[in-house]
Amino acid sequence: MPSASRVWQTHRVLIGLFPELNAPGGIQRAGRHLAFVMSEYAASHKMESRFLSLNDTQELHRMHVGDREFVFTGADRGKLKFAANAMRAARRRPKLVLAAHPNLAPLLRYMRLLAPGMKTIVCTHGIEVWEALPSTRRNALCRATLVLSPSRATADHLVNVQGVDHDRIRVLPWALDPDFATRFSALLLLPSQEIFRRAA
């Protein structure tokens, strides 16, 4: 009979939870960049990746960044559907789960019930963390393995307003240059890939 440690051993799976990917907007574009980097990281390390979107239509989407492609599943704004998809994905006992917005971070607590060994990253974007969040979101931020901030100013708000431990925060400016959708440089990928390497 397998030992408890083997039963709960994490698998070589990366999961990304996104509010929306197939739409205009800065957060959406940052999400596409993160999903792309995660898919590239997973492929180069012989890992699987699964991406879930709350607000995109309920189907399998194929998204291209330059000449590369990643796929994701939408939940058509259905919060229960999105949560159910996330919990099904957690049954794979992933190594790392990224929540691309603090609003999605509370799901990580429930996913961890199925995958106690998984590590977590929560992305912040700015104004949404400048004032105290509801306790469930704030607790999710404070318990994340890493919290990503696009600027030092937002990182300061995470520490002073949300109570996130300074050591858990990494400043990673989002790469949102206008040419990213048709052209990308290895220099854009390296900082992000290093974050996933350290977390995984």
Side-chain angles (χ1 to χ4, degrees):
M1 184 170 178
S3 67
S5 62
R6 287 187 63 81
V7 169
W8 292 114
Q9 183 177 11
T10 54
H11 292 184
R12 295 182 64 77
V13 178
L14 302 182
I15 296 174
L17 307 177
F18 298 90
E20 191 171 42
L21 289 167
N22 192 19
I27 291 175
Q28 292 84 349
R29 191 161 188 173
R32 290 192 292 271
H33 181 209
L34 285 168
F36 170 67
V37 171
M38 288 178 74
S39 66
E40 290 286 291
Y41 180 89
S44 66
H45 288 77
K46 296 182 170 56
M47 302 174 77
E48 298 177 40
S49 58
R50 175 100 193 266
F51 305 126
L52 305 174
S53 165
L54 171 60
N55 294 326
D56 289 297
T57 55
Q58 189 174 323
E59 60 198 56
L60 185 68
H61 296 260
R62 296 187 177 277
M63 182 154 288
H64 293 270
V65 178
D67 61 351
R68 308 295 180 92
E69 178 185 81
F70 67 87
V71 298
F72 66 94
T73 304
D76 203 20
R77 300 184 181 276
K79 293 181 181 179
L80 290 179
K81 175 70 173 175
F82 181 75
N85 289 342
M87 295 305 289
R88 274 195 294 272
R91 292 193 184 102
R92 303 290 308 282
R93 299 193 300 277
K95 187 174 183 65
L96 175 67
V97 179
L98 176 141
H101 195 282
N103 290 352
L104 305 179
L107 259 178
L108 300 176
R109 174 185 176 186
Y110 300 101
M111 295 176 75
R112 195 178 279 115
L113 294 175
L114 297 176
M118 78 181 199
K119 295 183 180 179
T120 59
I121 296 176
V122 179
C123 299
T124 62
H125 303 277
I127 194 170
E128 82 281 359
V129 295
W130 291 358
E131 295 184 4
L133 291 170
S135 60
T136 54
R137 295 177 195 171
R138 192 167 62 250
N139 289 340
L141 276 176
C142 291
R143 293 178 180 177
T145 307
L146 290 178
V147 178
L148 300 185
S149 169
S151 70
R152 174 52 55 195
T154 294
D156 290 342
H157 282 89
L158 287 169
V159 173
N160 300 324
V161 178
Q162 310 302 340
V164 179
D165 189 317
H166 182 271
D167 292 339
R168 294 179 184 264
I169 299 170
R170 300 292 183 274
V171 176
L172 180 69
W174 300 139
L176 300 176
D177 68 288
D179 296 326
F180 183 77
T182 54
R183 217 173 28 142
F184 63 90
S185 163
L187 292 177
L188 289 176
L189 303 182
L190 287 174
S192 303
Q193 287 207 354
E194 179 65 12
I195 290 290
F196 294 118
R197 185 189 69 77
R198 290 186 180 185

